[in-house]
Amino acid sequence: MYDLIVIGAGPAGITAALYAARSNLKVATIEQGAPGGQMNNTADIENYPGFELISGPELSMKMYEPLDKMGVENIYGIVTTVEDKGDYKIVKTDDKTYETKTVIVATGSKHRLLGVPGEDTFSSRGVSYCAICDGAFFRDQDLLVVGGGDSAVEESVFLARLAKSVTIVHRRDELRAQKVLQDRAFANDKIKFIWDTVVKEIKGDDVKVKSVVFENVKTKEITEQEFGGIFIYVGLDPVSNMVSDLGITNEDGWIITDENMKTSIPGIFAVGDVRQKTFRQITTSVADGAVAAQNVYQYVIENS
Ligand code: FAD
Ligand code: NAP
C-alpha cells in the first residue's frame, strides 16, 4: 500500500512527489511517456525563475532527477482508472493494479484538434502539433501556424529560426498571447499575420500537405495559399478520462478542486493543467504540486 500515487510526471506531478517524499511518505509516480510532460514540447523556457533561458527537455530532467534520490518509485504505465474505496484507492494501468491511501491526478492536458477536413489525413505528413519535435523537417519552407495564444506565438518565433517564412493565421484581429511574446513576433521579419481568418480545409497530394483554404470571418472571402507545413496550436483539452466516472470534473473534463487541491472525494487530489483554473504555466503547476503534497501529508496523518 502506497501513501501516495501521483499520476503523471509533468512539473505538477514531479513537485508533488518530491514534496511528499520529503515528508517521508511512500510515494510512486506513474507516467506514460517522457517525464516533464508538456515542457518537453517547447524549446525555450524563459519564465521559470532561476533560469534566464532553459530548454524544456533540460528543465524536465533537472526536475525529475531528484525523485530517484528521494526514494520515489517511478513506474512506467498508462493509468486507465482510479477507484475510490473510501480509506484507500485503487489505481489501474493497462496491466497492473496498485493500492494507495491517496492519489494526486497530475495528467495535464493534450493539444486540441482543429477539426477541419484534411487535418487527420495529413497528420504527420505536414500537419504537426509540436514545433520542437517536427520543426527540423521543415527547414527553409513556408509554414503556417494556426492560433493566437502563447503556444502559437512562441512556437512561431522558434520556427522562424529555421523556416523560410512563418504565417500566423488567427480567427480574431488581436492575439491572446502574452505581450512579450507578441512583441517578439511582430518584430520578426520572417513572421507574417493573417487576421480574422479561419482554416476551412487542408489539402495535399498522396505524400504531403500542399495548401490551405482560408475563410475571412468578416468578408466571407475564400482564399487558398501554399504551405510546406502546418502547426496547429488552438488550445488544450484536459486528460482526465481515468477519473471521468468519479464526478470530480466539470462539463469540459477539467478537474474541480479547492485551493488545497482537494477534489470532492477525500484522498483524491488534482494539480497542474488538468485542474479547472485560469492560468496554466510551469510555475503554477509546480505551486499546485507543493500545496497538494502538504495536504496529502495531513490527510495520511489524520487517517492513519
Ligand atoms: P503536463 O506537463 O501536461 O504533464 C502531464 C503528464 O501526465 C505528462 O507527462 C503525461 O504523459 C502524463 N499522463 C497523462 N495521462 C496519463 C496517464 N493516463 N497515465 C500516466 N501518465 C499520464 N509554461 C511556461 O510556464 N513557460 C513556457 O515557456 C511554456 N511553454 C509552453 C509551450 C507549449 C507548446 C505548451 C503546449 C505549453 C507551454 N507551457 C509553458 C505550459 C506548461 O508546459 C504547462 O502549464 C505545464 O507543463 C503543465 O504541467 P502539468 O504537470 O500539469 O501537466
Ligand atoms: P490558448 O491560450 O487556449 O490559445 C488558443 C488559441 O487558439 C487562441 O488564440 C484561440 O483563439 C485559438 N483557437 C481556439 N480554437 C480555435 C479554432 N477552432 N480555430 C482557430 N483558432 C482557435 O492555448 P495555448 O496557446 O496552447 O496555451 C495553453 C496554456 O499554456 C495557456 O495557459 C498558456 O499561457 C500556456 N503557455 C504558456 C507559455 C509561456 O508562458 N511562454 C507558452 C505556451 C503556452 P481566441 O484567442 O480567439 O480564443
Side-chain angles (χ1 to χ4, degrees):
M1 173 81 74
Y2 292 96
D3 290 319
L4 168 64
I5 286 182
V6 182
I7 309 172
I14 290 174
T15 309
L18 190 63
Y19 271 67
R22 290 173 67 89
S23 299
N24 239 359
L25 299 184
K26 186 177 179 205
V27 184
T29 65
I30 305 180
E31 168 59 54
Q32 64 182 3
Q38 290 279 13
M39 293 193 297
N40 286 301
N41 297 333
T42 190
D44 297 341
I45 293 168
E46 296 175 291
N47 56 359
Y48 192 72
F51 300 96
E52 196 179 335
L53 173 71
I54 185 164
S55 80
E58 192 184 350
L59 184 57
S60 297
M61 288 325 294
K62 280 188 186 296
M63 283 191 186
Y64 189 64
E65 274 162 11
L67 291 191
D68 208 27
K69 271 189 224 144
M70 291 305 302
V72 174
E73 190 180 336
N74 294 309
I75 299 166
Y76 174 80
I78 301 172
V79 174
T80 51
T81 48
V82 176
E83 291 171 24
D84 176 35
K85 299 286 181 190
D87 57 355
Y88 75 104
K89 323 291 168 198
I90 292 179
V91 176
K92 287 186 182 163
T93 64
D94 22 10
D95 60 348
K96 290 213 171 76
T97 298
Y98 303 89
E99 291 188 356
T100 176
K101 293 176 190 167
T102 64
V103 171
I104 295 180
V105 184
T107 43
S109 56
K110 60 179 186 302
H111 61 75
R112 191 176 290 154
L113 300 178
L114 190 54
V116 297
E119 179 181 20
D120 187 35
T121 312
F122 295 105
S123 180
S124 302
R125 293 202 287 140
V127 172
S128 169
Y129 304 86
C130 179
I132 188 176
C133 322
D134 301 333
F137 299 123
F138 298 93
R139 209 168 277 280
D140 298 324
Q141 300 199 37
D142 294 312
L143 303 181
L144 180 72
V145 173
V146 188
D150 285 343
S151 295
V153 177
E154 187 169 58
E155 301 312 308
S156 293
V157 173
F158 169 76
L159 288 169
R161 291 182 206 158
L162 39 96
K164 186 167 152 203
S165 75
V166 176
T167 301
I168 297 179
V169 60
H170 184 37
R171 63 184 179 183
R172 294 187 290 129
D173 62 1
E174 60 179 348
L175 298 171
R176 177 184 292 277
Q178 299 163 47
K179 186 77 171 57
V180 63
L181 299 176
Q182 293 194 26
D183 290 348
R184 207 169 290 167
F186 290 139
N188 191 315
D189 290 343
K190 279 195 183 172
I191 300 179
K192 304 175 242 178
F193 293 86
I194 303 178
W195 301 107
D196 295 317
T197 297
V198 293
V199 171
K200 294 296 280 183
E201 187 177 353
I202 297 167
K203 292 180 169 179
D205 57 20
D206 288 347
V207 183
K208 66 186 282 292
V209 156
K210 289 281 178 207
S211 66
V212 172
V213 179
F214 296 117
E215 181 184 48
N216 183 299
V217 293
K218 289 189 172 154
T219 64
K220 302 295 174 204
E221 186 191 1
I222 303 283
T223 52
E224 188 168 342
Q225 203 173 319
E226 289 192 359
F227 293 99
I230 300 159
F231 288 80
I232 298 174
Y233 288 107
V234 292
L236 305 168
D237 286 324
V239 179
S240 58
N241 53 299
M242 73 294 302
V243 294
S244 55
D245 291 341
L246 295 179
I248 58 173
T249 53
N250 71 12
E251 65 279 12
D252 296 320
W254 303 102
I255 300 179
I256 302 165
T257 71
D258 66 12
E259 63 180 2
N260 293 317
M261 310 303 142
K262 294 177 181 172
T263 69
S264 56
I265 300 178
I268 299 184
F269 301 74
V271 293
D273 277 13
V274 75
R275 250 178 11 99
Q276 175 182 282
K277 63 177 183 178
T278 51
F279 198 39
R280 295 191 170 86
Q281 297 274 297
I282 302 166
T283 48
T284 57
S285 301
V286 160
D288 284 3
V291 171
Q294 183 60 22
N295 285 282
V296 163
Y297 177 72
Q298 290 298 340
Y299 177 94
V300 171
I301 296 296
E302 284 163 17
N303 291 280
S304 294

Short mmCIF file of all heavy atoms in Angstrom, two decimals, residues 7-13 30-32 34 36-39 41-42 44-45 47 77-79 106-109 151 154-155 233 239 242 271-273 280-282 285, ligand 1:
data_model
loop_
_atom_site.label_atom_id
_atom_site.label_comp_id
_atom_site.label_asym_id
_atom_site.label_seq_id
_atom_site.Cartn_x
_atom_site.Cartn_y
_atom_site.Cartn_z
N ILE A 7 -0.28 10.46 -10.51
CA ILE A 7 -0.47 10.05 -11.92
C ILE A 7 -0.01 11.19 -12.81
O ILE A 7 -0.60 12.27 -12.82
CB ILE A 7 -1.95 9.72 -12.21
CG1 ILE A 7 -2.51 8.75 -11.17
CG2 ILE A 7 -2.08 9.14 -13.61
CD1 ILE A 7 -4.01 8.55 -11.29
N GLY A 8 1.09 10.95 -13.54
CA GLY A 8 1.65 11.97 -14.41
C GLY A 8 2.89 12.60 -13.79
O GLY A 8 2.88 12.99 -12.62
N ALA A 9 3.96 12.68 -14.59
CA ALA A 9 5.22 13.28 -14.10
C ALA A 9 5.61 14.49 -14.94
O ALA A 9 6.71 14.59 -15.46
CB ALA A 9 6.33 12.24 -14.08
N GLY A 10 4.66 15.42 -15.08
CA GLY A 10 4.98 16.76 -15.57
C GLY A 10 5.45 17.58 -14.37
O GLY A 10 5.67 17.03 -13.28
N PRO A 11 5.61 18.89 -14.54
CA PRO A 11 6.10 19.70 -13.42
C PRO A 11 5.22 19.63 -12.17
O PRO A 11 5.73 19.64 -11.04
CB PRO A 11 6.13 21.12 -13.99
CG PRO A 11 5.34 21.08 -15.25
CD PRO A 11 5.42 19.69 -15.76
N ALA A 12 3.89 19.50 -12.36
CA ALA A 12 2.99 19.43 -11.20
C ALA A 12 3.19 18.12 -10.45
O ALA A 12 3.35 18.11 -9.21
CB ALA A 12 1.54 19.57 -11.67
N GLY A 13 3.20 17.00 -11.18
CA GLY A 13 3.33 15.69 -10.55
C GLY A 13 4.71 15.49 -9.93
O GLY A 13 4.83 14.95 -8.82
N ILE A 30 3.29 7.39 -11.63
CA ILE A 30 3.05 6.55 -12.81
C ILE A 30 2.99 7.49 -14.01
O ILE A 30 2.17 8.41 -14.04
CB ILE A 30 1.74 5.74 -12.70
CG1 ILE A 30 1.73 4.90 -11.40
CG2 ILE A 30 1.60 4.83 -13.93
CD1 ILE A 30 0.47 4.06 -11.21
N GLU A 31 3.89 7.28 -14.95
CA GLU A 31 4.00 8.16 -16.12
C GLU A 31 4.00 7.30 -17.38
O GLU A 31 4.65 6.27 -17.44
CB GLU A 31 5.28 9.01 -16.01
CG GLU A 31 5.69 9.75 -17.25
CD GLU A 31 4.64 10.73 -17.78
OE1 GLU A 31 4.19 11.60 -17.03
OE2 GLU A 31 4.28 10.61 -18.97
N GLN A 32 3.29 7.78 -18.40
CA GLN A 32 3.15 7.00 -19.64
C GLN A 32 4.21 7.34 -20.68
O GLN A 32 4.31 6.65 -21.71
CB GLN A 32 1.78 7.26 -20.24
CG GLN A 32 1.60 8.71 -20.67
CD GLN A 32 0.22 9.03 -21.22
OE1 GLN A 32 -0.65 8.18 -21.24
NE2 GLN A 32 0.04 10.25 -21.66
N ALA A 34 7.70 10.46 -21.56
CA ALA A 34 8.90 11.11 -21.05
C ALA A 34 8.55 12.02 -19.88
O ALA A 34 7.60 12.80 -19.99
CB ALA A 34 9.55 11.94 -22.16
N GLY A 36 8.35 15.16 -17.51
CA GLY A 36 8.44 16.58 -17.87
C GLY A 36 7.18 17.05 -18.57
O GLY A 36 6.92 18.24 -18.66
N GLY A 37 6.40 16.12 -19.09
CA GLY A 37 5.11 16.47 -19.70
C GLY A 37 5.26 17.47 -20.83
O GLY A 37 6.14 17.34 -21.69
N GLN A 38 4.39 18.48 -20.82
CA GLN A 38 4.35 19.47 -21.91
C GLN A 38 5.64 20.27 -22.01
O GLN A 38 5.91 20.87 -23.04
CB GLN A 38 3.19 20.46 -21.69
CG GLN A 38 1.81 19.89 -21.87
CD GLN A 38 1.41 19.81 -23.35
OE1 GLN A 38 2.24 19.95 -24.24
NE2 GLN A 38 0.15 19.54 -23.59
N MET A 39 6.44 20.28 -20.95
CA MET A 39 7.71 21.03 -21.02
C MET A 39 8.60 20.48 -22.13
O MET A 39 9.39 21.20 -22.71
CB MET A 39 8.46 20.96 -19.69
CG MET A 39 7.76 21.68 -18.56
SD MET A 39 8.83 21.91 -17.13
CE MET A 39 9.16 20.24 -16.62
N ASN A 41 7.75 19.75 -24.96
CA ASN A 41 7.30 20.20 -26.28
C ASN A 41 7.64 21.66 -26.55
O ASN A 41 7.09 22.26 -27.48
CB ASN A 41 5.78 20.01 -26.40
CG ASN A 41 5.41 18.55 -26.32
OD1 ASN A 41 6.23 17.70 -26.67
ND2 ASN A 41 4.23 18.26 -25.85
N THR A 42 8.50 22.25 -25.74
CA THR A 42 8.89 23.63 -26.02
C THR A 42 10.41 23.77 -25.95
O THR A 42 11.06 23.20 -25.08
CB THR A 42 8.17 24.64 -25.09
OG1 THR A 42 8.41 25.95 -25.57
CG2 THR A 42 8.59 24.51 -23.65
N ASP A 44 12.33 26.75 -25.77
CA ASP A 44 12.88 27.77 -24.88
C ASP A 44 11.90 28.11 -23.77
O ASP A 44 10.78 28.54 -24.04
CB ASP A 44 13.16 29.06 -25.66
CG ASP A 44 14.21 28.84 -26.74
OD1 ASP A 44 14.95 27.85 -26.65
OD2 ASP A 44 14.27 29.67 -27.66
N ILE A 45 12.36 27.96 -22.53
CA ILE A 45 11.56 28.43 -21.39
C ILE A 45 12.29 29.63 -20.79
O ILE A 45 13.46 29.53 -20.43
CB ILE A 45 11.37 27.30 -20.36
CG1 ILE A 45 10.50 26.19 -20.99
CG2 ILE A 45 10.72 27.83 -19.08
CD1 ILE A 45 10.45 24.92 -20.23
N ASN A 47 10.50 31.84 -18.55
CA ASN A 47 9.75 32.42 -17.44
C ASN A 47 9.69 31.48 -16.24
O ASN A 47 8.76 31.52 -15.45
CB ASN A 47 8.33 32.81 -17.89
CG ASN A 47 7.57 31.64 -18.51
OD1 ASN A 47 8.09 30.54 -18.62
ND2 ASN A 47 6.34 31.89 -18.90
N GLY A 77 3.70 3.46 -17.04
CA GLY A 77 2.40 2.85 -17.32
C GLY A 77 1.37 3.90 -17.70
O GLY A 77 1.55 5.09 -17.43
N ILE A 78 0.31 3.44 -18.33
CA ILE A 78 -0.82 4.32 -18.68
C ILE A 78 -1.95 4.03 -17.70
O ILE A 78 -2.49 2.92 -17.68
CB ILE A 78 -1.30 4.06 -20.12
CG1 ILE A 78 -0.17 4.28 -21.11
CG2 ILE A 78 -2.50 4.94 -20.45
CD1 ILE A 78 -0.50 3.86 -22.53
N VAL A 79 -2.28 5.00 -16.87
CA VAL A 79 -3.36 4.78 -15.90
C VAL A 79 -4.70 4.84 -16.63
O VAL A 79 -4.98 5.78 -17.38
CB VAL A 79 -3.31 5.83 -14.78
CG1 VAL A 79 -4.52 5.70 -13.87
CG2 VAL A 79 -2.02 5.67 -13.98
N ALA A 106 -2.25 14.31 -11.92
CA ALA A 106 -1.39 15.38 -12.48
C ALA A 106 -1.18 15.11 -13.96
O ALA A 106 -0.06 15.16 -14.47
CB ALA A 106 -0.05 15.41 -11.74
N THR A 107 -2.26 14.81 -14.65
CA THR A 107 -2.18 14.30 -16.03
C THR A 107 -2.21 15.39 -17.10
O THR A 107 -2.15 15.08 -18.30
CB THR A 107 -3.32 13.30 -16.28
OG1 THR A 107 -4.52 13.84 -15.72
CG2 THR A 107 -3.04 11.97 -15.63
N GLY A 108 -2.33 16.64 -16.69
CA GLY A 108 -2.18 17.74 -17.63
C GLY A 108 -3.24 17.79 -18.72
O GLY A 108 -4.40 17.43 -18.52
N SER A 109 -2.78 18.21 -19.89
CA SER A 109 -3.73 18.41 -21.00
C SER A 109 -3.07 17.97 -22.30
O SER A 109 -1.86 17.74 -22.35
CB SER A 109 -4.09 19.89 -21.08
OG SER A 109 -2.90 20.66 -21.21
N SER A 151 1.16 29.54 -27.09
CA SER A 151 1.83 28.44 -27.81
C SER A 151 2.06 28.82 -29.27
O SER A 151 3.17 28.65 -29.79
CB SER A 151 0.99 27.15 -27.76
OG SER A 151 0.88 26.68 -26.46
N GLU A 154 4.73 31.77 -29.45
CA GLU A 154 6.07 31.38 -29.02
C GLU A 154 6.69 30.37 -29.99
O GLU A 154 7.87 30.48 -30.37
CB GLU A 154 6.00 30.76 -27.62
CG GLU A 154 7.35 30.47 -27.03
CD GLU A 154 7.27 30.12 -25.55
OE1 GLU A 154 6.58 29.16 -25.21
OE2 GLU A 154 7.90 30.83 -24.74
N GLU A 155 5.90 29.40 -30.42
CA GLU A 155 6.43 28.38 -31.32
C GLU A 155 6.69 28.95 -32.72
O GLU A 155 7.55 28.46 -33.44
CB GLU A 155 5.52 27.16 -31.36
CG GLU A 155 5.30 26.49 -30.00
CD GLU A 155 6.58 26.23 -29.21
OE1 GLU A 155 7.51 25.63 -29.76
OE2 GLU A 155 6.68 26.66 -28.03
N TYR A 233 -1.98 25.14 -33.05
CA TYR A 233 -1.94 25.46 -31.62
C TYR A 233 -3.22 26.19 -31.23
O TYR A 233 -3.23 27.39 -31.02
CB TYR A 233 -0.72 26.34 -31.30
CG TYR A 233 0.59 25.61 -31.37
CD1 TYR A 233 1.48 25.83 -32.41
CD2 TYR A 233 0.95 24.69 -30.37
CE1 TYR A 233 2.69 25.16 -32.48
CE2 TYR A 233 2.16 24.02 -30.43
CZ TYR A 233 3.02 24.26 -31.49
OH TYR A 233 4.22 23.58 -31.54
N VAL A 239 -6.72 15.94 -19.75
CA VAL A 239 -6.55 14.47 -19.79
C VAL A 239 -7.08 13.95 -18.45
O VAL A 239 -6.34 13.88 -17.46
CB VAL A 239 -5.07 14.09 -19.98
CG1 VAL A 239 -4.91 12.57 -20.00
CG2 VAL A 239 -4.53 14.68 -21.27
N MET A 242 -9.34 8.95 -16.86
CA MET A 242 -9.21 7.90 -15.83
C MET A 242 -10.06 8.21 -14.58
O MET A 242 -10.25 7.34 -13.73
CB MET A 242 -7.73 7.67 -15.46
CG MET A 242 -7.04 8.71 -14.63
SD MET A 242 -6.81 10.32 -15.40
CE MET A 242 -5.90 9.96 -16.85
N VAL A 271 -3.75 18.41 -9.55
CA VAL A 271 -2.79 19.52 -9.63
C VAL A 271 -2.45 19.84 -11.08
O VAL A 271 -2.58 18.99 -11.96
CB VAL A 271 -1.46 19.19 -8.90
CG1 VAL A 271 -1.67 19.07 -7.40
CG2 VAL A 271 -0.83 17.91 -9.44
N GLY A 272 -2.03 21.06 -11.31
CA GLY A 272 -1.50 21.45 -12.61
C GLY A 272 -2.58 21.74 -13.64
O GLY A 272 -3.71 22.10 -13.32
N ASP A 273 -2.21 21.54 -14.90
CA ASP A 273 -3.07 21.95 -16.02
C ASP A 273 -4.41 21.23 -16.06
O ASP A 273 -5.36 21.74 -16.65
CB ASP A 273 -2.34 21.69 -17.35
CG ASP A 273 -1.39 22.80 -17.73
OD1 ASP A 273 -1.09 23.65 -16.85
OD2 ASP A 273 -0.93 22.84 -18.88
N ARG A 280 -2.38 28.58 -16.77
CA ARG A 280 -1.67 27.30 -16.87
C ARG A 280 -0.23 27.53 -17.27
O ARG A 280 0.07 27.82 -18.44
CB ARG A 280 -2.39 26.37 -17.86
CG ARG A 280 -3.77 25.99 -17.37
CD ARG A 280 -4.43 24.88 -18.17
NE ARG A 280 -5.62 24.43 -17.48
CZ ARG A 280 -6.83 24.99 -17.62
NH1 ARG A 280 -7.00 25.98 -18.44
NH2 ARG A 280 -7.85 24.55 -16.91
N GLN A 281 0.66 27.39 -16.33
CA GLN A 281 2.07 27.66 -16.51
C GLN A 281 2.88 26.61 -15.74
O GLN A 281 2.32 25.90 -14.90
CB GLN A 281 2.41 29.04 -15.90
CG GLN A 281 1.71 30.19 -16.58
CD GLN A 281 2.48 30.69 -17.79
OE1 GLN A 281 3.59 31.15 -17.66
NE2 GLN A 281 1.88 30.58 -18.94
N ILE A 282 4.20 26.59 -15.98
CA ILE A 282 5.05 25.69 -15.19
C ILE A 282 5.05 26.13 -13.73
O ILE A 282 4.93 25.31 -12.82
CB ILE A 282 6.49 25.67 -15.77
CG1 ILE A 282 6.45 25.23 -17.23
CG2 ILE A 282 7.38 24.76 -14.95
CD1 ILE A 282 7.74 25.48 -17.99
N SER A 285 1.88 25.16 -12.00
CA SER A 285 1.80 23.70 -11.83
C SER A 285 2.66 23.26 -10.64
O SER A 285 2.25 22.43 -9.82
CB SER A 285 2.31 23.00 -13.09
OG SER A 285 1.54 23.38 -14.19
P1 FAD B 1 1.83 18.19 -18.17
O1 FAD B 1 3.09 18.94 -18.35
O2 FAD B 1 0.87 18.10 -19.29
O3 FAD B 1 2.22 16.71 -17.68
C1 FAD B 1 1.24 15.71 -17.53
C2 FAD B 1 1.93 14.34 -17.56
O4 FAD B 1 0.95 13.34 -17.29
C3 FAD B 1 2.52 14.00 -18.94
O5 FAD B 1 3.88 13.65 -18.80
C4 FAD B 1 1.69 12.84 -19.44
O6 FAD B 1 2.42 11.90 -20.20
C5 FAD B 1 1.20 12.22 -18.12
N1 FAD B 1 -0.04 11.45 -18.28
C6 FAD B 1 -1.19 11.89 -18.85
N2 FAD B 1 -2.11 10.91 -18.80
C7 FAD B 1 -1.53 9.84 -18.19
C8 FAD B 1 -1.99 8.53 -17.86
N3 FAD B 1 -3.22 8.12 -18.16
N4 FAD B 1 -1.13 7.69 -17.24
C9 FAD B 1 0.14 8.10 -16.94
N5 FAD B 1 0.62 9.33 -17.23
C10 FAD B 1 -0.21 10.19 -17.84
N6 FAD B 1 4.60 27.20 -19.49
C11 FAD B 1 5.51 28.07 -19.02
O7 FAD B 1 5.46 28.43 -17.84
N7 FAD B 1 6.52 28.54 -19.82
C12 FAD B 1 6.64 28.17 -21.13
O8 FAD B 1 7.54 28.63 -21.84
C13 FAD B 1 5.68 27.27 -21.66
N8 FAD B 1 5.74 26.89 -22.95
C14 FAD B 1 4.80 26.01 -23.44
C15 FAD B 1 4.86 25.64 -24.78
C16 FAD B 1 3.92 24.76 -25.30
C17 FAD B 1 3.99 24.37 -26.75
C18 FAD B 1 2.89 24.24 -24.46
C19 FAD B 1 1.86 23.28 -25.00
C20 FAD B 1 2.83 24.61 -23.11
C21 FAD B 1 3.77 25.50 -22.59
N9 FAD B 1 3.72 25.92 -21.27
C22 FAD B 1 4.66 26.79 -20.78
C23 FAD B 1 2.71 25.41 -20.33
C24 FAD B 1 3.33 24.32 -19.43
O9 FAD B 1 4.07 23.41 -20.23
C25 FAD B 1 2.22 23.59 -18.68
O10 FAD B 1 1.47 24.53 -17.94
C26 FAD B 1 2.79 22.54 -17.71
O11 FAD B 1 3.64 21.61 -18.37
C27 FAD B 1 1.66 21.76 -17.03
O12 FAD B 1 2.22 20.84 -16.16
P2 FAD B 1 1.40 19.58 -15.64
O13 FAD B 1 2.37 18.79 -14.82
O14 FAD B 1 0.14 19.99 -15.03
O15 FAD B 1 0.98 18.76 -16.95
#
